[in-house]
Amino acid sequence: MKIASYTAYGGPETIAFTDAPIPTPAAGEVLVRVRAAPVTAGDARLRSGKVPRGLGLMLRATIGWRRPRVAAGWAFSGEVAGLGAGVSEFAPGQRVFGLTGFKGGAHREFLVIRADGRVLPLPDSLTHEEGAAFFFGGLTAAEFLIDRARLQPGERLLVCGATGAVGGAAVQIGRHLGARVSATASPANHPLARALGAGEVTDYRRMPPPGPFDVILDVMGKLGWAGARGLLAPAGRHVQITADLWEMLGATLRPRREGRRIIMGTNRDDRPSMQRLVALHRAGGYTPALGPVLPFAELARAHAIAEGFHKPGNLVVTMAAV
Ligand SMILES: NC(=O)c1ccc[n+]([C@@H]2O[C@H](COP(=O)([O-])OP(=O)(O)OC[C@H]3O[C@@H](n4cnc5c(N)ncnc54)[C@H](OP(=O)(O)O)[C@@H]3O)[C@@H](O)[C@H]2O)c1
């Protein structure tokens, strides 16, 4: 089978394909034939080492000083190709999707994963491409809107950067929760933002959206507190999904400002969070928007698109012959 890996921190040219034997599932494990996997903003950041200001040292201390010592690929959708001893909850040929998470390992043609880990049956309502795209932005949007900002029906939500993986999920989930959703996007993406469920859509390069908002989801952190404070209602929440070290320290030391709250951090990617997102999908609240779909062999091109932070929806590679 083909496996993609990162040979160094750097551009998409640092991605290499190697051949490896198809693994054998141990007791309690499932062998998955991967059909599709997303190429996310997170994948591009781990490969390039380019993270918000002040976080580079922390990244390298965690995943490697000279090269990213993580396997490529964060999530997958595929079919059960083999079962280890004692696995009864999955059947051969069954469609499944899941997460390999931060340490990666989904950008390959087969993978093994614990049956009681981050793998779930893929609902019939999702294609493999949608299954691959399902978790990255969805888990982030769900946790920050539901658990952290506690978005309420009737509240006004602004999603800044509303058509990528996180923003596209946030618009849908915000609507499903009963919020009135406004969005910012570049003009080419305005129809997509509306199709996802945003009412008012403005161009973030030209003018600020008309507030006040109860919750602002600042996907790229470009508004920052300085840009968000004038748009927030009393008791409003500014959720900054992308933040540098100094903004994180500031939010930790002083999360409440002028009656408003600043929320930052990283989201969970455990099984209960995944199951909740599936429940949201089944209730009609979330289906990931698909953007470019490329063959696995074009993984480097997919990374080049992902690291621009302007892709519409989610970017997915599909595994066939490389
Ligand atoms: N905190 C966490 O746990 C967490 C989890 C997941 C992701 N993230 C971070 O969240 C960010 C977004 O991830 P993603 O997967 O959603 O990326 P993405 O799919 O590339 O989407 C990026 C979005 O940001 C918009 N955008 C780009 N430049 C902008 C600007 N100057 N002002 C306003 N909006 C702008 C884009 O809009 P247009 O295309 O219309 O320009 C697009 O909607 C990344 O920095 C990622 O690392 C954080």
Side-chain angles (χ1 to χ4, degrees):
M1 68 166 180
K2 296 281 182 200
I3 290 183
S5 59
Y6 308 132
T7 56
Y9 289 109
E13 72 282 357
T14 60
I15 295 167
F17 286 101
T18 48
D19 290 310
I22 295 171
T24 305
E29 288 182 342
V30 180
L31 174 69
V32 177
R33 182 186 177 127
V34 181
R35 292 293 184 184
V39 180
T40 68
D43 292 311
R45 288 197 186 284
L46 291 182
R47 188 214 72 237
S48 64
K50 285 186 193 158
V51 287
R53 209 164 44 106
L55 298 175
L57 276 181
M58 218 180 295
L59 178 84
R60 286 179 190 239
T62 310
I63 69 164
W65 291 106
R66 298 168 68 88
R67 70 177 179 87
R69 292 183 183 280
V70 289
W74 190 86
F76 63 88
S77 184
E79 286 141 19
V80 174
L83 297 170
V87 177
S88 55
E89 59 269 54
F90 293 104
Q94 184 178 356
R95 293 173 0 121
V96 292
F97 67 156
L99 300 180
T100 48
F102 182 64
K103 291 190 175 166
H107 287 165
R108 58 187 62 197
E109 291 172 317
F110 290 85
L111 60 84
V112 286
I113 188 163
R114 284 205 56 80
D116 60 1
R118 292 179 292 181
V119 56
L120 297 172
L122 178 66
D124 291 342
S125 47
L126 294 172
T127 64
H128 279 307
E129 288 82 0
E130 289 169 328
F134 193 78
F135 290 111
F136 184 77
L139 288 176
T140 307
E143 178 168 332
F144 279 98
L145 291 181
I146 298 171
D147 304 325
R148 306 230 204 161
R150 299 192 181 280
L151 182 67
Q152 299 299 313
E155 284 195 318
R156 286 194 70 192
L157 166 68
L158 171 66
V159 182
C160 290
T163 53
V166 176
V171 170
Q172 295 182 61
I173 293 170
R175 264 289 288 263
H176 183 70
L177 294 173
R180 291 176 287 153
V181 183
S182 299
T184 69
S186 53
N189 286 329
H190 285 199
L192 175 57
R194 289 202 183 88
L196 289 167
E200 214 157 19
V201 185
T202 50
D203 179 357
Y204 58 77
R205 290 167 193 158
R206 286 175 59 91
M207 57 187 214
F213 298 98
D214 300 292
V215 174
I216 297 178
L217 196 85
D218 190 358
V219 173
M220 293 302 295
K222 298 290 183 186
L223 274 181
W225 172 246
R229 61 186 289 203
L231 299 174
L232 278 173
R237 287 86 82 200
H238 175 225
V239 183
Q240 196 171 323
I241 299 292
T242 305
D244 67 27
L245 180 62
W246 315 114
E247 290 167 327
M248 284 184 187
L249 288 174
T252 306
L253 294 172
R254 208 157 66 86
R256 293 193 180 276
R257 297 179 195 180
E258 302 154 16
R260 285 87 172 236
R261 199 149 55 89
I262 303 186
I263 299 168
M264 291 178 198
T266 51
N267 62 276
R268 296 183 305 272
D269 57 2
D270 52 17
R271 211 171 206 243
S273 306
M274 293 165 67
Q275 286 164 328
R276 175 175 68 179
L277 196 63
V278 172
L280 262 172
H281 167 69
R282 292 194 192 282
Y286 169 62
T287 296
L290 278 184
V293 177
L294 298 176
F296 185 35
E298 293 187 31
L299 185 62
R301 187 156 79 87
H303 267 255
I305 297 171
E307 70 187 0
F309 299 111
H310 292 292
K311 62 183 162 56
N314 293 270
L315 171 51
V316 166
V317 290
T318 52
M319 279 64 174
V322 173

